[in-house]
């Protein structure tokens, strides 16, 4: 009896872990719109076909140390700047968001999708983008 309960518990835990892992790829909002996570190389190709606004959501200090030359806006997610400005953005525009690792830009993209933005791309981390050949700039 105890062995059966342990086996069932292990199966349930494994299923939860697997579901969590698989659901981290792209995030959908209530209306089914997905945050699209794309690599640096995919971004380079996508931006040629579908131009848009590039937003750096890192802190001011991170931004000052270096950012993508093609960054259109800097909106710090951590200090609330990004969220305060989100309603002033055009929902019909395409947006490409990046941060240090892709985590904050993913959170920012989720906020945008929740607000009804449809063309939002999390392009990941700054260093990965620079390593892929995108030009960097210092303030």
């Amino acid at each position: 009896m105890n062995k059966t309960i342990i086996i069932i518990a292990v199966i349930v835990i494994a299923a939860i872990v697997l579901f969590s892992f698989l659901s981290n790829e792209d995030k959908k909002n209530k209306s089914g719109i997905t945050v699209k996570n794309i690599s640096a190389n995919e971004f380079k190709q996508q931006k040629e076909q579908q131009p848009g606004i590039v937003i750096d959501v890192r802190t001011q200090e991170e931004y000052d140390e270096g950012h993508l030359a093609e960054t259109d806006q800097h909106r710090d997610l951590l200090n609330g700047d990004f969220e305060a400005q989100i309603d002033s953005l055009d929902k019909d525009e395409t947006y490409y968001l990046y941060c240090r690792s892709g985590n904050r830009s993913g959170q920012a993209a989720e906020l945008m999708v929740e607000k009804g933005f449809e063309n939002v791309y999390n392009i990941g981390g700054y260093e990965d983008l620079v390593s892929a050949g995108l030009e960097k700039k210092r303030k």
Side-chain angles (χ1 to χ4, degrees), residues 19-65:
F19 177 76
S20 295
F21 176 75
L22 294 175
S23 67
N24 277 339
E25 281 300 306
D26 289 329
K27 302 278 186 177
K28 286 187 179 180
N29 73 354
K30 293 173 187 146
S31 63
I33 299 169
T34 303
V35 171
K36 300 157 200 100
N37 295 305
I38 60 175
S39 70
N41 288 323
E42 290 171 317
F43 165 64
K44 288 175 9 181
Q45 294 173 350
Q46 177 77 19
K47 184 106 180 349
E48 288 179 18
Q49 298 168 2
Q50 188 174 5
I53 296 170
V54 178
I55 303 176
D56 183 331
V57 299
R58 298 176 302 154
T59 65
Q60 186 66 51
E61 293 79 23
E62 290 172 306
Y63 181 83
D64 290 345
E65 288 175 8

Side-chain angles (χ1 to χ4, degrees), residues 57-114:
V57 299
R58 298 176 302 154
T59 65
Q60 186 66 51
E61 293 79 23
E62 290 172 306
Y63 181 83
D64 290 345
E65 288 175 8
H67 54 275
L68 296 181
E70 61 186 291
T71 299
D72 297 303
Q73 297 180 21
H74 171 243
R75 301 282 178 241
D76 186 342
L77 180 70
L78 295 180
N79 75 1
D81 185 35
F82 182 83
E83 198 163 358
Q85 298 292 323
I86 199 168
D87 289 330
S88 67
L89 300 174
D90 181 358
K91 289 184 180 177
D92 295 324
E93 185 63 69
T94 298
Y95 295 93
Y96 299 99
L97 285 66
Y98 73 95
C99 63
R100 184 181 52 80
S101 68
N103 183 31
R104 283 176 282 174
S105 52
Q107 292 172 29
E110 285 181 40
L111 286 171
M112 292 180 79
V113 166
E114 288 171 9

Side-chain angles (χ1 to χ4, degrees), residues 43-44 54 66-71 98 126 129-138:
F43 165 64
K44 288 175 9 181
V54 178
H67 54 275
L68 296 181
E70 61 186 291
T71 299
Y98 73 95
Y126 171 71
L129 294 161
V130 171
S131 294
L134 291 160
E135 185 181 345
K136 64 181 179 178
K137 178 179 175 182
R138 288 185 70 110

